[in-house]
Amino acid sequence: MGSWTRSGVNRSPHRPPSPPFPLLSRSTLRPPPACFPPQLPTSRASQIPRAPSPPPHLSRACARAPRDLKLDTVEKIVEDFASDMALNPFSSGTRLRDMIRAIRASKTAAEERAVVRRECAAIRTAISERGQEGLRHRNMAKLMFIHMLGYPTHFGQMECLKLIAAAGYPEKRIGYLGLMLLLDERQEVLMLVTNSLKQDLNHSSPFIVGLALCALGNICSAEMARDLAPEVEKLLRSRDVNTKKKAALCSVRIVRKVPDLAENFICLAASLLKEKHHGVLISAVQLCTELCKASKDALEYLRKNCIEGLVRILRDVSNSSYAPEYDVAGISDPFLHIRVLKLMRMLGQGDTDCSEYMNDILAQVATKTESNKNAGNAILYECVETIMGIEATSGLRVLAINILGRFLSNRDNNIRYVALNILMRAITVDTQAVQRHRVTILECVKDADASIRKRALELVFLLVNDTNVKPLTKELVDYLDVADPDFKEDLTAKICSITEKFSQEKLWYLDQMFKVLSLAGNHVKDDVWHALIVVISNASELQGYAVRSLYMALRAYSEQGSLLRVAVWCIGEYGEMLVNNLGMLEAEPPITVTESDAVDAVELGFNCYSADVTTRSMCLVALLKLSSRFPSMSERIKQIVAQNKENMVLELQQRSIEFGSIIQRHQSIRSSLLERMPVLDEAAYLVKRASATQATIPSYKPASGVTPGDLKIPNGVAKPAAAPLVDLLDLSSDDAPVTSTSATPNDFLQDLLGIGGTNLSTAGAPSASTDILMDLLSIGSSPSQNGLLDSSSPAQEKKPFSAVPQVVSLVPEPMDLLGSLSSSASSSAGTKSSTIVPQAADLLDGLSASTSVSGIDDACPSITAFQSATLKIVFDLRKQLGKPQETTIHATFTNLTSTTYTDFIFQAAVPKFIQLRLDPASGNVVPASGKGSVTQGFSVTNNQHGQKPLAMRIRMSYKVNGEDRLEQGQVSNFPPGL
Amino acid sequence: MILQYHTSEIIIFTENFLDNLLRGLVIEYFSVVRPDAAHPANATPADQETQTRLIAIPSQLPSSNLTTSQPSSSSPSMIRFILLQNRQGKTRLAKYYVPLEDSEKHKVEYEVHRLVVNRDPKFTNFVEFRTHKVIYRRYAGLFFSICVDITDNELVYLECIHLFVEILDHFFSNVCELDLVFNFHKVYLILDEFILAGELQETSKKAIIERMGELEKLD
């Protein structure tokens, strides 16, 4: 409070804080809140009439009032006003009432702000001046009103504390009210009030004790709870019922803040349950409930000692005759009913004895409570919850479920809502009983009220099982057509997850998904349609049906984003099935689609205004594929693709140029390049999908649907760097040993490069590098892929790698093919490079290889660095251009025995004049019988190049059938000159 | 008022206009709460004018920090806050039983108002709000909203609201919005006699009115 000072400008300290004047000093007090219009204080002051009374806004309020207000209200105001004038001892300055009127009379927000600002300034002045103590609580009340309007009132916090410390009840009342409104438990200032609270808790007046208890109960922090718990405990024993019930609820707060304190309250709380007064009883019951949550001991204690008391309370209150004081719609104190039932639930949970004790009274409440009023239903609701919660008899459970059935058919929306709510919890107890209400619940999904719909949908989702999935899904899908747009997203997600989870036959799944895509394709999540594509790819007998259905759906619903994507993908892949009606199902009507129709559909999709880059890219890929499927359309497709050579989106531009080249110049390899995608591994995809993090999905997912490649990345080779890509593209299990992925005949890269199968057939690890394809054809515009592609250099590079006859594997390096010339040898060593030479892979543009500058100078022949009966190690040596002392070595480890080595670790040691840097190995499992190998790259720098030859000691440790093995050796057969 | 705290520049731009508009309407809504108008179903036809959809459905709201300030061990089924707002979104009473920043409070008030103000009177009185649930009831132009745990007994809080309104009605003898505005501190006092620490303290209307009478004498 002392941080600001009053200005000394022309103001005598005793001048009353009348409205216009404080503005003069406002600028020195505190900068105005940001929302205030920046006006100079002086000019503002001159605009405001100087006469302090009567304030102009007041007269305006009076002038307006009679016209609009109801007569009795006006009379009341006038009376209040008069009584205020007579009774209020502080008639100087504005009173609370006047201020509220002035604020209400403000015509604009700006005017209101001005009034508030004026008042705040006056209050600040009053705070800083001495001799204004009498006005303090009035100022505080004003501040609270201002606070309620949303203006900052931090400067009043200390005033609260002063008021609390004052002696009289009126001051304390406003002080505590301010404390609760302006402060909360997190403020440091609150610590200062602990002492005042302590004094007030011990005050002789029960009213002041009540105030303190109330404040403590609403805002106490953990520290205060610890400090003041003894006082509250003492007050629990008080004779005054008001004090007792407040103390009980205060204890609730204390126990919530500091659960350790629970044990102090157990006995007291239990003894309070014997009271007759409802206020004390309900507070005590709530305290007991809180204690049960906080401490196991309390739970046990109450189970032993209080269960009879509780049953008695409930019996008394439910059997009591008409008591006007507590009567709500003919039911005596429903609030107490409900709190007792809740506590019973806590006690009976998992305790058969307790539950047994309650059975009778619960049955009585459940049967005898009137259910035509809200209060009765509230009790029944709680009673059902308790029956579901405790170890109730089966008869009681039936009773409860029947009550829910009645609720569900109630006309009141509130009751139906709570019924759905409990049914959701009841489903774990008794699924069959809930299933009986399936039809009603399904109706609730279509309710106009969003709250009910949401609950019902969640419940339906829980109700679905193998037997009812088809009718339920049909209902939901039918409803999807007319559902509210807001609701479609939820509904779509639920339908998709139901169909995926419970689909027994693929045809049904496809049908449902096609319907959903057609009706709400814009709400379908990416992973859902990715999964659909995986399923289609796996269901060879349904591919024709799928593409035809999608084609028809696309014609009817061209605006649905994900429908378009799936349809375009399928048309690209299975175009010929569309045109030739291949793979017809029995009940399927034949359709006539020409090749040109198919291309039209994709072109339309491409030009659809709502299509995004991903969709357009997919369309381009589909067109490219169609150019090979329908050679007659090739020319037209070329034109469509060519239109995008100047597309503003880099991705599309780049693809269209590349695809144009493929169509135009590489007819010989086109058909094999654009073959149908190999079957995607469904199980692995599902695993991936489940484990895929949200972060990687959005950027990489789109590519998975469109990348036409055998997605088998050599196991582990590219793994560390390309983990997300693996995640996305390696749809085969990446845990499979290398040997499992043998060379596939339709390996794209093979075709792409025109490499004969002869040498590849001997490949030890031939899992061909379809990274290339990924980069060539993949569409996701992820920067990493673009970076790899380095599209500015279309030149293809011919790399003079040394071929190793025994271990042939193809380089999974995009840069090798697409010519990222900056790729250093070390990065290629990170992947796999015991390779075969890609023969003049002048793929895309036919620029001569001479334009490419290889980063690798020359390659020395590879050496067999180590060979024993069990293990063979081959080193591939390469030199960096201009760095004669540096050698990049690529080691390939081959297992010569028939048992797999696990935990394989390769270590190397060199003399001091040589520096060694090891890259991570491709894996630590060496498959048996030379069926695969582990590779590891490392580089050595010979600091005494030309003087001393390279020398190295190596050690390999691994496990055979869990047994440790160790092999060592020295490599001395390095070629000279290293 | 609310507008200036929460919204984009566009609304600030039209603030004066809206404010005037609202002020023009204000008087019309000061109808006195009568017992027969207490139930939403009995509201006058003029009160049921809007059938428009919710602006935002609760599930789309950002996740709540209403619970973050709570000790994680127990999830108390307590009242998180009580709001009393008029149709224009002016807060007439706001009582928080969980600590929230002031800015957060304004946001909560704004969002709750948006949620409840346009709901069809035939709809449920429960709206999901962030991770909690708001039970609201409308009396003439005033909305009483209580925010509780998602698993709590909604119906009983509906009764609570009604009991609270009855107490107010008794205390102010035919309460109207103006009573609540000018005597806001007394309303807080009544509330403190009715609910404490987010739990029900007294269920007897008579007891609270008597207690208030005693307290009035001290003032």
Side-chain angles (χ1 to χ4, degrees):
Chain A
M1 291 305 105
S3 61
W4 46 270
T5 54
R6 272 185 51 240
S7 77
V9 190
N10 301 334
R11 294 205 57 206
S12 55
H14 61 266
R15 182 174 286 186
S18 53
F21 294 109
L23 286 172
L24 288 174
S25 57
R26 184 185 53 79
S27 58
T28 57
L29 294 178
R30 183 177 280 208
C35 57
F36 285 14
Q39 274 175 301
L40 288 173
T42 47
S43 66
R44 170 165 284 276
S46 65
Q47 287 162 5
I48 293 168
R50 293 239 157 198
S53 74
H57 42 261
L58 244 187
S59 53
R60 196 162 50 230
C62 294
R64 273 170 66 137
R67 185 165 46 89
D68 296 311
L69 286 177
K70 290 192 178 166
L71 203 60
D72 52 352
T73 321
V74 177
E75 273 168 11
K76 199 168 168 187
I77 292 173
V78 174
E79 266 171 39
D80 287 352
F81 192 80
S83 66
D84 240 38
M85 294 289 273
L87 293 177
N88 198 326
F90 320 107
S91 49
S92 68
T94 46
R95 292 163 314 148
L96 173 62
R97 225 153 236 283
D98 296 341
M99 185 195 78
I100 296 175
R101 284 210 182 91
I103 288 173
R104 288 177 52 77
S106 312
K107 282 208 177 84
T108 60
E111 214 173 301
E112 179 183 296
R113 284 198 296 267
V115 174
V116 169
R117 193 164 26 167
R118 212 153 52 210
E119 288 294 342
C120 283
I123 294 167
R124 280 202 190 104
T125 318
I127 289 171
S128 65
E129 279 172 17
R130 290 171 186 282
Q132 295 270 11
E133 276 77 15
L135 289 178
R136 218 177 237 154
H137 74 281
R138 199 184 67 190
N139 284 338
M140 199 60 229
K142 281 192 204 169
L143 260 191
M144 280 187 273
F145 189 80
I146 291 169
H147 177 82
M148 212 154 65
L149 293 176
Y151 294 90
T153 49
H154 306 288
F155 56 89
Q157 291 179 348
M158 288 309 280
E159 258 337 69
C160 279
L161 307 194
K162 285 183 197 156
L163 278 171
I164 291 169
Y169 173 82
E171 286 83 10
K172 276 188 192 292
R173 176 173 82 86
I174 295 293
Y176 278 119
L177 187 53
L179 184 75
M180 287 186 279
L181 282 186
L182 307 185
L183 290 161
D184 65 52
E185 61 190 87
R186 291 167 306 183
Q187 262 125 356
E188 298 273 310
V189 189
L190 205 59
M191 288 311 292
L192 302 175
V193 91
T194 312
N195 209 30
S196 303
L197 270 172
K198 196 167 199 158
Q199 279 171 7
D200 285 347
L201 287 175
N202 293 317
H203 205 277
S204 56
S205 158
F207 297 106
I208 288 176
V209 173
L211 283 179
L213 279 174
C214 185
L216 190 63
N218 284 342
I219 57 160
C220 96
S221 60
E223 290 84 1
M224 286 167 86
R226 280 203 189 86
D227 289 347
L228 299 174
E231 267 73 23
V232 177
E233 261 182 78
K234 204 169 68 195
L235 290 170
L236 274 174
R237 298 192 185 89
S238 146
R239 292 179 137 192
D240 181 44
V241 285
N242 278 309
T243 309
K244 242 191 294 200
K245 69 188 182 192
K246 282 196 165 73
L249 292 180
C250 231
S251 318
V252 171
R253 171 93 180 190
I254 289 172
V255 172
R256 256 178 219 158
K257 289 285 159 201
V258 191
D260 300 346
L261 290 172
E263 56 189 46
N264 303 357
F265 291 99
I266 298 173
C267 294
L268 280 167
S271 67
L272 283 182
L273 289 176
K274 297 185 181 78
E275 293 275 339
K276 284 273 177 276
H277 188 273
H278 280 211
V280 180
L281 266 183
I282 199 167
S283 308
V285 169
Q286 285 166 138
L287 175 56
C288 289
T289 314
E290 203 57 45
L291 289 173
C292 289
K293 279 184 199 160
S295 127
K296 278 223 161 67
D297 295 346
L299 187 61
E300 285 309 314
Y301 182 87
L302 291 172
R303 269 180 186 160
K304 270 194 207 112
N305 300 305
C306 294
I307 191 70
E308 289 173 44
L310 278 176
V311 170
R312 204 196 58 240
I313 294 171
L314 194 56
R315 187 170 293 135
D316 287 353
V317 74
S318 67
N319 291 341
S320 72
S321 54
Y322 178 68
E325 204 177 327
Y326 295 104
D327 185 71
V328 178
I331 291 161
S332 180
D333 209 342
F335 305 101
L336 184 57
H337 264 101
I338 284 161
R339 302 293 146 161
V340 173
L341 284 168
K342 200 168 178 181
L343 179 53
M344 283 183 161
R345 184 159 72 240
M346 299 223 58
L347 298 182
Q349 214 153 26
D351 187 317
T352 334
D353 292 346
C354 266
S355 304
E356 206 182 306
Y357 211 88
M358 296 170 200
N359 274 340
D360 285 350
I361 186 70
L362 288 177
Q364 189 198 327
V365 171
T367 45
K368 284 177 90 180
T369 309
E370 295 262 351
S371 65
N372 50 4
K373 285 277 164 47
N374 183 45
N377 284 325
I379 295 177
L380 286 174
Y381 173 28
E382 200 67 37
C383 191
V384 169
E385 285 249 51
T386 301
I387 292 172
M388 295 291 179
I390 66 169
E391 316 300 313
T393 58
S394 59
L396 212 50
R397 292 230 158 123
V398 171
L399 194 62
I401 294 279
N402 286 343
I403 291 174
L404 290 184
R406 280 212 313 271
F407 274 17
L408 210 53
S409 52
N410 200 304
R411 275 175 46 233
D412 187 347
N413 273 341
N414 287 344
I415 308 292
R416 280 199 295 158
Y417 176 88
V418 298
L420 291 170
N421 232 347
I422 331 178
L423 280 173
M424 214 138 82
R425 273 167 268 169
I427 204 163
T428 51
V429 180
D430 190 350
T431 320
Q432 276 314 308
V434 183
Q435 288 285 5
R436 276 203 299 271
H437 302 295
R438 207 174 58 219
V439 181
T440 327
I441 296 166
L442 209 54
E443 281 310 304
C444 293
V445 175
K446 303 170 188 174
D447 200 276
D449 187 345
S451 304
I452 290 195
R453 273 196 316 238
K454 203 165 166 231
R455 288 277 146 231
L457 184 61
E458 276 163 28
L459 189 53
V460 166
F461 185 64
L462 293 176
L463 277 179
V464 174
N465 59 26
D466 287 336
T467 52
N468 61 21
V469 59
K470 286 193 177 175
L472 275 178
T473 314
K474 184 177 181 313
E475 285 279 343
L476 294 180
V477 170
D478 288 349
Y479 178 59
L480 193 58
D481 198 16
V482 289
D484 214 68
D486 289 343
F487 190 51
K488 268 189 182 164
E489 190 166 340
D490 276 353
L491 191 57
T492 311
K494 285 281 190 284
I495 296 175
C496 292
S497 95
I498 289 173
T499 47
E500 277 170 31
K501 205 162 137 196
F502 292 100
S503 82
Q504 292 139 345
E505 44 199 284
K506 282 188 168 175
L507 182 60
W508 178 81
Y509 168 74
L510 291 182
D511 276 337
Q512 302 308 316
M513 287 310 297
F514 293 161
K515 276 187 206 160
V516 171
L517 285 177
S518 308
L519 294 172
N522 290 327
H523 301 284
V524 173
K525 299 260 185 315
D526 278 354
D527 56 338
V528 171
W529 64 262
H530 293 161
L532 176 62
I533 285 183
V534 173
V535 170
I536 295 176
S537 142
N538 276 286
S540 55
E541 71 289 352
L542 292 174
Q543 281 161 355
Y545 171 73
V547 67
R548 283 187 293 274
S549 308
L550 285 166
Y551 176 78
M552 298 309 282
L554 188 60
R555 285 180 45 173
Y557 306 93
S558 57
E559 298 300 301
Q560 302 288 356
S562 46
L563 173 70
L564 181 57
R565 289 182 188 180
V566 178
V568 159
W569 187 87
C570 286
I571 293 173
E573 290 296 318
Y574 313 116
E576 72 280 7
M577 295 187 167
L578 174 64
V579 175
N580 302 333
N581 278 335
L582 290 180
M584 288 283 282
L585 298 185
E586 276 176 23
E588 197 190 342
I591 56 170
T592 323
V593 183
T594 63
E595 294 181 350
S596 132
D597 288 343
V599 177
D600 281 346
V602 180
E603 193 189 1
L604 266 178
F606 187 86
N607 292 326
C608 175
Y609 70 92
S610 59
D612 59 3
V613 178
T614 312
T615 313
R616 296 214 162 129
S617 312
M618 290 178 72
C619 289
L620 272 187
V621 176
L623 285 170
L624 178 65
K625 291 209 159 193
L626 286 181
S627 75
S628 139
R629 309 267 190 284
F630 312 143
S632 60
M633 287 284 124
S634 182
E635 198 51 35
R636 193 176 145 211
I637 290 170
K638 201 176 94 190
Q639 280 167 13
I640 300 172
V641 170
Q643 283 164 11
N644 289 295
K645 279 191 171 160
E646 286 164 8
N647 197 309
M648 291 293 282
V649 182
L650 187 64
E651 180 72 26
L652 295 178
Q653 188 190 89
Q654 182 183 325
R655 296 306 168 208
S656 61
I657 292 170
E658 288 165 4
F659 293 175
S661 307
I662 292 175
I663 297 172
Q664 205 167 356
R665 302 189 197 180
H666 300 283
Q667 311 229 333
S668 54
I669 60 162
R670 190 177 65 189
S671 59
S672 44
L673 174 66
L674 300 174
E675 261 190 39
R676 195 173 291 165
M677 262 178 87
V679 173
L680 306 160
D681 189 327
E682 205 167 354
Y685 174 75
L686 292 178
V687 172
K688 286 275 156 44
R689 188 178 165 195
S691 62
T693 58
Q694 287 295 317
T696 55
I697 290 173
S699 55
Y700 289 105
K701 269 282 164 65
S704 74
V706 293
T707 308
D710 179 358
L711 302 166
K712 291 162 190 154
I713 288 174
N715 181 29
V717 170
K719 219 170 161 190
L725 295 177
V726 173
D727 210 57
L728 145 80
L729 293 166
D730 181 8
L731 296 178
S732 67
S733 161
D734 60 354
D735 296 328
V738 177
T739 46
S740 73
T741 58
S742 59
T744 47
N746 60 347
D747 186 291
F748 285 104
L749 190 61
Q750 233 167 289
D751 298 329
L752 190 68
L753 299 177
I755 295 167
T758 45
N759 44 4
L760 273 171
S761 61
T762 63
S767 38
S769 63
T770 42
D771 279 16
I772 291 159
L773 274 171
M774 176 183 78
D775 276 294
L776 196 62
L777 300 176
S778 81
I779 296 306
S781 51
S782 77
S784 68
Q785 293 185 7
N786 285 338
L788 286 177
L789 241 153
D790 193 5
S791 61
S792 59
S793 63
Q796 290 308 300
E797 182 188 353
K798 187 164 75 173
K799 277 193 186 171
F801 283 159
S802 60
V804 181
Q806 297 96 328
V807 190
V808 183
S809 66
L810 212 43
V811 193
E813 287 175 295
M815 44 281 218
D816 286 346
L817 281 165
L818 294 181
S820 162
L821 300 181
S822 57
S823 69
S824 66
S826 68
S827 79
S828 62
T831 52
K832 190 176 198 170
S833 35
S834 65
T835 54
I836 188 162
V837 186
Q839 310 152 349
D842 181 9
L843 251 187
L844 291 181
D845 253 322
L847 289 184
S848 80
S850 61
T851 59
S852 66
V853 181
S854 172
I856 295 160
D857 182 22
D858 57 335
C860 301
S862 60
I863 54 167
T864 302
F866 179 86
Q867 177 141 26
S868 68
T870 51
L871 191 66
K872 177 175 169 165
I873 301 174
V874 175
F875 280 6
D876 261 330
L877 309 169
R878 264 182 280 164
K879 278 283 190 194
Q880 284 297 110
L881 183 69
K883 289 181 189 165
Q885 65 270 43
E886 202 171 308
T887 311
T888 306
I889 303 175
H890 198 87
T892 306
F893 311 101
T894 314
N895 180 353
L896 301 176
T897 66
S898 56
T899 18
T900 305
Y901 298 164
T902 56
D903 295 341
F904 183 87
I905 296 169
F906 167 78
Q907 291 167 308
V910 286
K912 276 190 179 146
F913 60 87
I914 298 175
Q915 284 173 343
L916 172 73
R917 191 172 56 81
L918 273 169
D919 292 329
S922 64
N924 61 0
V925 178
V926 191
S929 314
K931 282 189 194 130
S933 58
V934 169
T935 61
Q936 185 163 21
F938 54 99
S939 61
V940 288
T941 310
N942 188 347
N943 291 328
Q944 297 187 11
H945 181 69
Q947 299 165 26
K948 292 188 180 173
L950 208 56
M952 186 183 288
R953 279 220 174 110
I954 55 174
R955 186 161 81 159
M956 286 69 62
S957 65
Y958 52 88
K959 280 184 181 168
V960 181
N961 296 329
E963 215 174 295
D964 285 323
R965 294 281 172 84
L966 195 69
E967 291 194 59
Q968 302 191 48
Q970 179 149 3
V971 187
S972 46
N973 56 343
F974 284 112
L978 290 176
Chain B
M1 282 317 307
I2 288 296
L3 296 173
Q4 81 196 51
Y5 304 115
H6 308 290
T7 47
S8 60
E9 287 168 36
I10 300 165
I11 297 195
I12 292 167
F13 174 68
T14 59
E15 178 188 55
N16 283 357
F17 166 72
L18 279 176
D19 212 68
N20 286 336
L21 189 74
L22 296 182
R23 273 161 210 283
L25 294 171
V26 160
I27 301 300
E28 170 196 332
Y29 293 130
F30 284 154
S31 53
V32 176
V33 179
R34 307 252 175 235
D36 61 345
H39 197 273
N42 297 335
T44 58
D47 289 335
Q48 304 180 344
E49 85 284 49
T50 46
Q51 300 272 329
T52 45
R53 297 229 48 77
L54 291 181
I55 303 164
I57 60 169
S59 61
Q60 290 169 334
L61 288 166
S63 67
S64 167
N65 62 352
L66 290 178
T67 39
T68 50
S69 46
Q70 288 298 314
S72 55
S73 56
S74 61
S75 64
S77 62
M78 60 185 282
I79 296 172
R80 297 313 201 285
F81 58 77
I82 296 175
L83 285 182
L84 217 162
Q85 297 167 307
N86 69 8
R87 263 221 295 236
Q88 289 74 48
K90 292 227 187 238
T91 304
R92 293 309 182 198
L93 174 122
K95 185 87 181 170
Y96 293 86
Y97 296 97
V98 288
L100 289 180
E101 294 294 335
D102 275 355
S103 58
E104 185 63 23
K105 285 181 185 170
H106 296 317
K107 215 161 117 198
V108 164
E109 284 160 27
Y110 176 68
E111 285 175 12
V112 168
H113 175 251
R114 282 214 326 187
L115 276 180
V116 301
V117 76
N118 280 331
R119 269 177 75 90
D120 191 304
K122 290 195 285 291
F123 286 1
T124 53
N125 294 78
F126 323 128
V127 207
E128 270 147 60
F129 170 69
R130 302 186 182 178
T131 53
H132 290 69
K133 195 174 331 193
V134 166
I135 288 115
Y136 75 95
R137 200 158 184 178
R138 178 180 158 169
Y139 290 88
L142 280 179
F143 289 92
F144 291 73
S145 314
I146 295 187
C147 177
V148 294
D149 214 61
I150 204 92
T151 54
D152 237 331
N153 187 332
E154 299 90 351
L155 299 176
V156 75
Y157 287 107
L158 215 52
E159 279 308 313
C160 280
I161 292 177
H162 189 69
L163 182 59
F164 183 53
V165 173
E166 279 189 8
I167 295 168
L168 290 178
D169 200 43
H170 255 78
F171 181 76
F172 291 106
S173 49
N174 267 345
V175 70
C176 71
E177 191 180 339
L178 276 189
D179 289 324
L180 307 184
V181 174
F182 282 98
N183 296 299
F184 71 94
H185 48 104
K186 287 186 185 152
V187 181
Y188 277 110
L189 206 58
I190 297 175
L191 188 59
D192 283 339
E193 290 299 322
F194 181 46
I195 289 166
L196 180 60
E199 306 280 0
L200 273 178
Q201 181 188 169
E202 179 59 69
T203 55
S204 157
K205 189 163 62 185
K206 186 167 148 255
I208 293 178
I209 297 289
E210 278 172 9
R211 168 89 176 164
M212 283 305 293
E214 288 172 34
L215 295 179
E216 288 265 281
K217 276 182 217 151
L218 293 171
D219 240 341

